[in-house]
Structure formats: structure tokens, C-alpha cells
Amino acid sequence: MTRPFDLVAIRTAHGRLARRLAILLLLFALPTAAAAEPARFEALMASGTAAYQAGDFAAAARSWGAAVAEAETFGPLDPRLAASLDSLAEARRAQA
């Protein structure tokens, strides 16, 4: 006996479509979210540099510490993490 509608096929097709839509949504949403983070990171690094050059090592350490936290969201192999950690270490060394 043939059924007019194959419910398993319909559910499977629906599931595939839902997965594809979710992937497309992520692909379009992630670049937008990631685009805002580098701007904040750059602002924090610039703020830390200005404070360091003015001799305000505590403010530089705060800015660069926040830059480290921001850079950690980019992943452990991103060079911005190493740069911000290096700057933070320099500010803490200058405080000592």
C-alpha cells in the first residue's frame, strides 16, 4: 500500500532545510559580530599606549588588560593576544 504522503521523507527534508538555514544564518551573523570586536581591541590598545606614554602605567595596565580579555575572544593563536599580553607585561614591569 502506498501512502499519499511519506512523513519520514517530509520530516527528513524539513530537518535538512532547517540545518541549512541555521548554517546560513551563522555565516551571515558571525562576520558582523566579529567586525565590532577588532575596533574595540584597537581602541583599548591605543588608549593603553597613550596612557603609557604619559607615564600613567596603572591606566595603561587597565586598558591593556581589557585588550587582553578582548583578544582572548579571537582565539589562542591570534597574534593580537600575544601583542596585548606583551603590552600588559610592560605596563606591569614599569609599575614595579
Side-chain angles (χ1 to χ4, degrees):
M1 171 177 186
T2 27
R3 298 187 303 195
F5 297 103
D6 187 356
L7 292 178
V8 173
I10 292 171
R11 286 184 190 143
T12 303
H14 178 69
R16 282 193 302 258
L17 178 61
R19 280 192 298 276
R20 287 178 183 158
L21 288 174
I23 289 170
L24 284 174
L25 178 64
L26 285 174
L27 289 175
F28 286 109
L30 288 179
T32 305
E37 295 170 358
R40 176 167 163 68
F41 172 80
E42 293 299 329
L44 289 166
M45 290 297 287
S47 173
T49 300
Y52 185 87
Q53 290 173 345
D56 189 353
F57 304 124
R62 283 191 301 275
S63 290
W64 286 333
V68 167
E70 191 71 27
E72 287 173 337
T73 66
F74 302 141
L77 300 179
D78 192 292
R80 292 172 286 192
L81 179 57
S84 57
L85 285 167
D86 184 58
S87 296
L88 178 59
E90 179 57 32
R92 290 192 176 156
R93 184 205 58 79
Q95 285 179 305

